[in-house]
Amino acid sequence: ANEAVSPDTPRVQGGFYWGYRTRVAGTLSSVFRGDTWTDGYDVVLGTSERGIPVQSQIVAERLSGFRRLLIVFGGVAGLEESVKSDEILQKKGCGTAWKVDELFDAYVNTCPGQGSRTIRTEEALLISLAALKPIIDNAHET
């Protein structure tokens, strides 16, 4: 008999990968507050065309052995612009005393040589997951 189950059931009971979860945050600082994991995230990646190439050894090192990964995507203007409209980060000196990339364990360009000024978030999500998959797989093999 077919029965509707919680989206967590295949993962918890069967150990299957069952997709990812998304969350829209009103401000960049709110990304780091009220996360759904009680223990937080082991690794937080920011995505930007100004980041280090995803194939960099630094990215592999930062992901090594992680348990919970958060990938942060900016809007059309990017994460750098998100800081300008975030009063909390402005008060803490982000964008002036320190840079937005310092919010993250790694600030990653998942689409080097993208050829266009912007990539829509729904495109960036799939591109980034595809680019990060071999690195994520390797992080759990070591």
Side-chain angles (χ1 to χ4, degrees), residues 47 71 73-74 110-111 118-132:
T47 60
I71 305 170
F73 298 89
T110 57
C111 190
T118 61
I119 297 176
R120 295 189 330 235
T121 304
E122 62 270 25
E123 296 168 335
L125 180 75
L126 297 174
I127 291 167
S128 297
L129 291 177
L132 287 165

Side-chain angles (χ1 to χ4, degrees), residues 14-83:
F16 300 108
Y17 171 74
W18 205 251
Y20 52 86
R21 294 182 184 198
T22 60
R23 175 169 59 108
V24 176
T27 63
L28 184 53
S29 61
S30 69
V31 168
F32 302 99
R33 296 189 317 266
D35 58 53
T36 57
W37 294 100
T38 55
D39 295 336
Y41 296 94
D42 298 88
V43 178
V44 180
L45 298 181
T47 60
S48 172
E49 65 183 324
R50 293 167 200 80
I52 59 175
V54 69
Q55 301 86 357
S56 167
Q57 185 61 31
I58 294 169
V59 177
E61 290 169 2
R62 302 275 165 83
L63 287 174
S64 180
F66 81 93
R67 293 187 59 225
R68 295 183 184 102
L69 171 65
L70 175 65
I71 305 170
V72 181
F73 298 89
V76 174
L79 290 171
E80 297 84 3
E81 288 296 316
S82 299
V83 170

